[in-house]
Amino acid sequence: MAKPNLTPLEDALDHLLSEAPVVAQIETVALADSLGRVLAENHYVPADVPPADNSAVDGYALRKQDLHGDRPIPVSARIPAGEAPKPLEPGTAARIFTGSEIPEGADSVVMQERIEVTDGGILVQATVDEGQNIRRRGQDLTRGDLALAKGTTVRPNEMGLLASMGAARVAVLTRLKVAILSTGDELVEPGMPLGPGQIYNSNRFTLMGLLAEAGCEVVLCETLRDKREATRETLLRAAESADLIITSGGVSVGEEDHVRAVLEESGGLSLWKMAIKPGKPVAFGAIGGTPVLGLPGNPGSVLVTFLVVGMPYIRKRQGRNPKALSGERIPADFTISSASVRREFVRARKETRGSDPVVAAFPNQSSGMLSSACWADGLAVVPENTTVSPGDLLTYYSFAELLS
Ligand code: AMP
Ligand code: MG
């Protein structure tokens, strides 16, 4: 059991997801610009795809009943792809190509490798099943069917399918507009000299990348000094343009943790000491009517809390269809000898030992480290109160799945 003051991840997610309004606006974009966007409406099939029966191979179209032992069949037509064929003359075959329409009267296509061409016509050197090598009209999409549902994220696959239905423009939900606010007097932007006591602001860039991959639009990116008034002003300004404000740092209980304090003043703050590792306190509240997700400051914690807490919330706000992560059960290739009351998200990598998959862990899992995250290709989950020995089955999620 988790300690009473630690909130299980599921409880925090339940709360977050119960307050996750979907972006309201719809825009129409060119199909070419629809990658990663969320469909705002159902797409019904306007006409059968393919629009007519067509050949799956290069060969000859014929009627099976016209085959008589080793008597050649004359070739009466040639049908290139893109041409509307005339009906097949009875007792003959038509030269046909992949994608060519099947002429009326033909019921089978014999691939050219099974044909001998003679002076009197073609000799079929194989048994023929009626319907063979014919791709039926509507076999991909049938007119009137639901092809893609509202809430579907457009991948290259969906772009192709939409194109196959003739869609040139598609209605999509507007991107979720996100403001990134980094907090900390110690932060310096890359490119500037580093003074004593200072570190570079890495969270800003981790979050920019994560949000881009998640299909969000970053509308504002600022660094906040550890001052109460400035924190409030910037949060309020960000609230004017953003659908969501994500902060990093400043949500602990110290007196320099002004994000928490400002949210507390504006009411409705939920602050969880989450039962996950890494992951210090995560805050959720609102300012000026805009939700604020306050992530911890440590770079490793930012990555993990964004993926396991932020992504489900963002996905819902984007209007994407709910999707349970499947993960993979893979034997561990590492040891964790002391059990934690917190669920641990280990920066991990899928490898093979011999021919078997294993999940390996970066040796140092400090929440302050990012090199571990670059070595890793996903997260392995160690349940609460559990030790790990090599061979134990763990659930592993790739970063790609967590961000999908
Ligand atoms: P905090 O929650 O503000 O106390 O921050 C926790 C730790 O994360 C401290 O070591 C901070 O210096 C570090 N940290 C906070 N924000 C950033 C950032 N944007 N980039 C890199 N490290 C950070
Ligand atoms: Mg700080």
Side-chain angles (χ1 to χ4, degrees):
M1 286 296 288
K3 283 183 192 160
N5 63 339
L6 290 179
T7 307
L9 175 60
E10 286 73 19
D11 292 0
L13 281 178
D14 280 351
H15 177 86
L16 269 180
L17 296 180
S18 71
E19 292 186 26
V22 174
V23 287
Q25 273 111 13
I26 293 173
E27 59 184 330
T28 303
V29 297
L31 180 60
D33 298 326
S34 66
L35 190 65
R37 305 301 298 269
V38 180
L39 296 179
E41 55 193 25
N42 289 332
H43 283 259
Y44 293 95
V45 181
D48 286 342
V49 179
D53 290 357
N54 68 82
S55 179
V57 296
D58 293 333
Y60 293 84
L62 46 78
R63 184 170 16 207
K64 183 183 170 168
Q65 70 184 46
D66 292 337
L67 291 171
H68 297 292
D70 52 8
R71 195 174 344 135
I73 304 180
V75 178
S76 63
R78 186 173 188 280
I79 310 168
E83 270 184 22
K86 294 198 183 73
L88 183 67
E89 273 176 39
T92 72
R95 178 74 172 118
I96 201 166
F97 303 92
T98 307
S100 298
E101 279 192 22
I102 306 294
E104 199 186 308
D107 61 16
S108 321
V109 175
V110 183
M111 66 197 299
Q112 64 189 39
E113 291 84 344
R114 303 272 181 277
I115 295 285
E116 189 189 330
V117 182
T118 70
D119 289 344
I122 55 162
L123 278 172
V124 176
Q125 295 166 326
T127 55
V128 173
D129 296 322
E130 206 175 302
Q132 74 177 30
N133 296 322
I134 295 180
R135 302 191 289 213
R136 292 291 172 200
R137 168 183 179 157
Q139 76 166 28
D140 190 2
L141 298 168
T142 306
R143 187 171 165 226
D145 282 358
L146 178 63
L148 292 170
K150 176 181 172 176
T152 299
T153 306
V154 179
R155 301 169 299 172
N157 318 19
E158 281 74 26
M159 282 178 86
L161 193 81
L162 287 160
S164 78
M165 294 194 287
R169 300 181 66 74
V170 285
V172 295
L173 296 170
T174 49
R175 289 184 197 276
L176 190 71
K177 297 186 185 70
V178 185
I180 301 173
L181 303 181
S182 322
T183 73
D185 283 345
E186 71 277 34
L187 300 181
V188 173
E189 297 308 313
M192 306 296 286
L194 207 55
Q198 297 182 320
I199 59 167
Y200 286 117
N201 180 355
S202 60
N203 291 344
R204 167 183 189 155
F205 294 89
T206 308
L207 287 168
M208 281 170 75
L210 289 165
L211 289 164
E213 297 240 315
C216 298
E217 183 188 352
V218 175
V219 289
L220 188 119
C221 217
E222 287 187 28
T223 301
L224 295 178
R225 296 301 147 207
D226 290 322
K227 298 275 176 302
R228 186 71 48 94
E229 226 10 73
T231 300
R232 182 184 301 108
E233 276 166 22
T234 312
L235 279 166
L236 278 167
R237 185 157 41 80
E240 287 169 20
S241 58
D243 300 316
L244 170 66
I245 300 169
I246 298 185
T247 62
S248 74
V251 289
S252 291
V253 289
E255 65 267 26
E256 294 293 2
D257 293 314
H258 300 290
V259 172
R260 174 192 45 76
V262 169
L263 289 178
E264 216 157 34
E265 285 164 19
S266 69
L269 171 75
S270 309
L271 182 71
W272 299 292
K273 200 154 183 254
M274 300 240 296
I276 61 172
K277 195 176 161 184
K280 279 167 106 183
V282 171
F284 181 66
I287 191 156
T290 298
V292 181
L293 182 62
L295 301 181
N298 279 310
S301 308
V302 165
L303 180 70
V304 169
T305 53
F306 180 92
L307 291 172
V308 304
V309 182
M311 264 319 286
Y313 172 77
I314 286 174
R315 207 179 277 128
K316 178 147 186 222
R317 294 213 49 201
Q318 290 173 316
R320 287 153 80 172
N321 290 332
K323 158 180 166 223
L325 300 180
S326 52
E328 281 177 77
R329 298 283 289 169
I330 311 182
D333 192 34
F334 58 93
T335 303
I336 292 184
S337 43
S338 64
S340 167
V341 294
R342 297 189 282 165
R343 187 179 308 171
E344 184 162 1
F345 291 88
V346 175
R347 279 149 278 173
R349 182 155 95 178
K350 218 174 126 174
E351 294 182 348
T352 45
R353 289 277 170 276
S355 56
D356 299 323
V358 291
V359 59
F362 193 78
N364 187 337
Q365 292 286 327
S366 160
S367 63
M369 283 178 57
L370 276 180
S371 47
S372 53
C374 296
W375 175 91
D377 53 21
L379 300 175
V381 186
V382 179
E384 298 80 347
N385 308 303
T386 307
T387 58
V388 178
S389 304
D392 290 354
L393 279 182
L394 296 179
T395 303
Y396 159 89
Y397 298 103
S398 68
F399 287 131
E401 184 181 14
L402 289 163
L403 271 170
S404 68

